[in-house]
Amino acid sequence: MLRSAARNLGWLLASRSVLAILSLFYLGFATRTLGVVDFGRFALITGAVQALTTFVGFQTWQIIVQYGVHAAHEGDTPRLARLFRLAARLDLSSAIVGALLTIGILQIWADAFSIPRDLMHYTLVFAVIQLVTIRSTPLGILRLRDKFSLSALADSMTPVMRFVGAGAAMLFDPTIRGFMTAWAVAEIVTAATYWIMVWRSGDFALLMQGRSRWKTLIAENPGVVRFALSTNASATLGLSSKQIPLLLVGASIGPAAAGAFRLAAQVAQALAKLSQLLSRAAFPEIVRAVRTAAPERLRRILVKTMLASSAAALAILAVVALIGEPMLKLVGGKSFGTAYPVLLWLAAAGCFDLATVSLDTVMTAVNRAGTVFAIRVVAVVLLFIAAFVLMPVYGSTGVAMGVMIGSIAVAILLGIAAARFTRPRAPD
């Protein structure tokens, strides 16, 4: 299992390596072209849209893997087709609901997000594009089929197109609108590439055949409604908590502080992205292991994974501590060097996320998504309490410290929960 997960991770790392390198360039284009204040406005707009997208989106890729492993193993093609269609319906529904919510929220709270009136139309279009290009269903299909190389190729389209688009914006339309257009085109191309991969694999035709009544879907996939809601809620808390601090800084301190905070967060999020890669790579294999392995074996897998991820986290944190400040100045300019303390705190929070990512994955695989959700609720509450207490004294650094406190809470509570559910059973 570990060998298969490592192979999957290798493909994902190949994709994210492209992202890491190109992201430094397109972020540099954006920061040096827009400046601290306008880059802060751009970051607030994209951050708000991403938070709203996460709020309404279901983690349908996890639904496909969780409930599709058995059907794929048994060769039950009709059941797989119905599951794929269910996931696609959820994505479409969330896009429609999200578009309506986004229009209402942005119309009412545009000033809170520092969105100028002349950019409102472009922001709404950007938000709708972000929602309709949700690609969780094709991602799940490719991961279920172990086609991680195709998934990595599709994922690589985002940094490539942002790099090209940011360069074009810098030359022909050096404004917030120009960079929003570049980001929107990147989302469209990435989503189209995902669906082309699914179509070429033959699973798109399978999805179109998967018509069924709701009662049949519930009977075939027991607990799917609870699983879908729980994973959505957990993802909303986990991912939105990465965007909400940015919005809090922008609303409380201003766009300039938000710009510096966003660049520091972008560098620190390399850890968060690595933890997501580990989770996505290991999830299909852990689901299979949960169905066949004893708790003792699952605990051994957990220990090995945590040791490896902890070592990686410490190594990355050391690198960030050494070259973080020069990197911020290189990418954004000297004015962004003040964000170094923010970078350190966010990177440390990412270390805890990376070290304990396998715990989250196992809890989801053993149908304890509700427990994960409750843990993330506690963490988000602690994050906000700490941020509001520390921000008057430390500014945006205080918000980053709040993120760190939330990550520590998640790590401790997940460790306690995972130890309980993987404890060897006493003999009868």
Side-chain angles (χ1 to χ4, degrees):
M1 191 205 84
L2 290 177
R3 187 180 299 111
S4 180
R7 184 182 66 251
N8 296 341
L9 180 61
W11 283 112
L12 292 172
L13 284 175
S15 170
R16 291 301 177 177
S17 296
V18 175
L19 171 61
I21 295 171
L22 293 182
S23 67
L24 294 177
F25 285 96
Y26 65 68
L27 280 175
F29 294 163
T31 53
R32 292 180 178 272
T33 301
L34 298 177
V36 177
V37 176
D38 274 352
F39 178 71
R41 292 193 179 101
F42 173 67
L44 287 171
I45 291 172
T46 56
V49 171
Q50 288 172 1
L52 289 168
T53 303
T54 304
F55 176 72
V56 299
F58 289 94
Q59 298 297 301
T60 50
W61 75 271
Q62 288 188 339
I63 296 173
I64 290 174
V65 173
Q66 178 77 4
Y67 291 94
V69 166
H70 181 71
H73 179 72
E74 297 293 328
D76 193 345
T77 302
R79 180 178 172 183
L80 266 184
R82 291 189 288 271
L83 180 63
F84 292 168
R85 194 174 183 87
L86 169 65
R89 285 176 178 175
L90 288 174
D91 279 348
L92 179 60
S93 299
S94 64
I96 294 172
V97 172
L100 296 175
L101 279 175
T102 300
I103 292 172
I105 290 173
L106 292 182
Q107 290 287 355
I108 296 171
W109 288 300
D111 292 338
F113 294 134
S114 298
I115 301 175
R117 289 295 170 183
D118 60 328
L119 285 177
M120 179 57 67
H121 173 72
Y122 295 99
T123 301
L124 290 174
V125 172
F126 176 75
V128 171
I129 289 175
Q130 187 88 13
L131 287 160
V132 299
T133 54
I134 292 175
R135 43 196 178 265
S136 191
T137 293
L139 173 67
I141 293 173
L142 294 176
R143 295 231 161 111
L144 178 68
R145 300 298 195 186
D146 278 334
K147 296 183 182 296
F148 278 75
S149 58
L150 298 181
S151 176
L153 176 61
D155 254 347
S156 299
M157 291 297 103
T158 299
V160 169
M161 294 308 299
R162 283 185 180 180
F163 172 75
V164 174
M170 183 175 62
L171 293 174
F172 303 109
D173 190 7
T175 63
I176 296 175
R177 180 188 61 190
F179 284 95
M180 286 173 62
T181 302
W183 263 236
V185 170
E187 293 298 318
I188 293 171
V189 172
T190 303
T193 304
Y194 262 109
W195 283 110
I196 289 171
M197 297 299 182
V198 171
W199 175 72
R200 292 187 64 182
S201 70
D203 284 312
F204 185 80
L206 186 64
L207 182 153
M208 298 303 293
Q209 299 169 8
R211 294 177 175 83
S212 180
R213 293 183 176 180
W214 182 249
K215 289 183 178 180
T216 303
L217 293 170
I218 297 296
E220 288 181 340
N221 306 287
V224 67
V225 174
R226 179 181 178 185
F227 183 85
L229 293 175
S230 297
T231 52
N232 166 260
S234 296
T236 298
L237 290 170
L239 295 180
S240 291
S241 63
K242 307 303 180 185
Q243 302 297 337
I244 291 174
L246 169 67
L247 303 180
L248 183 61
V249 170
S252 303
I253 305 176
F261 189 94
R262 179 69 178 104
L263 182 59
Q266 188 74 22
V267 175
Q269 278 176 3
L271 285 170
K273 288 174 181 177
L274 181 56
S275 67
Q276 291 173 21
L277 297 185
L278 286 169
S279 175
R280 290 176 176 179
F283 189 71
E285 302 305 324
I286 288 177
V287 170
R288 296 184 182 104
V290 166
R291 296 180 184 277
T292 58
E296 294 84 355
R297 174 169 170 74
L298 196 57
R299 286 173 68 90
R300 288 197 297 271
I301 294 172
L302 265 180
V303 170
K304 290 180 180 179
T305 306
M306 284 188 64
L307 288 174
S309 58
S310 297
L314 290 174
I316 295 174
L317 182 60
V319 172
V320 170
L322 288 173
I323 67 172
E325 186 173 7
M327 184 181 296
L328 289 173
K329 293 179 179 179
L330 176 65
V331 174
K334 292 183 179 180
S335 57
F336 285 90
T338 57
Y340 178 61
V342 173
L343 172 61
L344 284 180
W345 284 105
L346 293 179
C351 277
F352 280 95
D353 294 339
L354 176 56
T356 58
V357 64
S358 57
L359 302 178
D360 190 327
T361 305
V362 167
M363 293 297 292
T364 302
V366 297
N367 284 319
R368 298 294 176 180
T371 303
V372 176
F373 171 69
I375 289 172
R376 294 204 177 278
V377 168
V378 174
V380 169
V381 170
L382 290 175
L383 185 159
F384 276 104
I385 292 174
F388 280 113
V389 170
L390 296 171
M391 188 168 56
V393 180
Y394 299 103
S396 56
T397 303
V399 178
M401 293 165 70
V403 175
M404 169 71 169
I405 291 171
S407 295
I408 292 174
V410 169
I412 294 172
L413 294 175
L414 274 179
I416 295 172
R420 175 186 174 190
F421 288 110
T422 60
R423 184 182 300 133
R425 298 185 181 92
D428 294 335

